[in-house]
């Protein structure tokens, strides 16, 4: 999974945290990217680093292993913490994708 956090402004953010929630359990052991931590059986949180106004944060790459072999999984990505910044467009704070076990790449 490749995540690119974005900040639509109006001000830069020193840091924020995003959360990934899956509809299937994660495997017991995970090799997570720097700045990421497991937050539950189906959750991972990652800090974004600085987010410039109207710009992108650091790219976050994750190879998450799942327990078992589900044929599909919902992946929800949302803003978990933003340092109290006012967000005028809360519609972009959560993204949901259904990933099917087809071997295909997904982008959203």
């Amino acid at each position: 999974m490749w995540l690119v956090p974005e900040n639509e402004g109006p001000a830069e953010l020193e840091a924020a945290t995003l959360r990934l929630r899956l509809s299937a359990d994660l495997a017991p052991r995970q090799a997570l990217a720097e700045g990421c931590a497991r937050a539950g059986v189906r959750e991972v949180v990652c800090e974004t680093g600085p987010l410039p106004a109207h710009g992108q944060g650091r790219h976050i790459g994750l190879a998450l292993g799942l327990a078992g072999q589900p044929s599909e999984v919902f992946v929800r990505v949302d803003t978990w913490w933003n340092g109290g910044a006012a967000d005028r467009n809360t519609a972009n704070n959560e993204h949901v994708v259904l990933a099917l076990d087809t071997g295909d790449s997904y982008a959203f």
Side-chain angles (χ1 to χ4, degrees), residues 2-51:
W2 191 257
L3 302 162
V4 182
E6 293 185 352
N7 177 9
E8 293 183 358
E12 66 182 45
L13 293 173
E14 191 173 310
T17 306
L18 58 87
R19 174 177 57 177
L20 289 88
R21 294 178 290 158
L22 292 89
S23 62
D25 291 354
L26 292 163
R29 295 179 187 246
Q30 299 289 326
L32 297 174
E34 184 178 339
C36 294
R38 196 160 176 168
V41 175
R42 297 180 173 183
E43 292 183 40
V44 172
V45 294
C46 296
E47 62 89 16
T48 64
L51 289 168

Side-chain angles (χ1 to χ4, degrees), residues 35-85:
C36 294
R38 196 160 176 168
V41 175
R42 297 180 173 183
E43 292 183 40
V44 172
V45 294
C46 296
E47 62 89 16
T48 64
L51 289 168
H54 308 288
Q56 297 180 343
R58 71 179 181 91
H59 295 199
I60 301 167
L62 295 168
L64 298 175
L66 299 177
Q69 295 181 339
S71 60
E72 65 182 39
V73 63
F74 279 99
V75 180
R76 291 176 167 78
V77 181
D78 60 6
T79 304
W80 195 47
W81 177 82
N82 68 0

Side-chain angles (χ1 to χ4, degrees), residues 84-95:
D87 187 350
R88 295 183 182 134
N89 181 9
T90 57
N92 68 2
N93 286 358
E94 183 173 335
H95 304 278

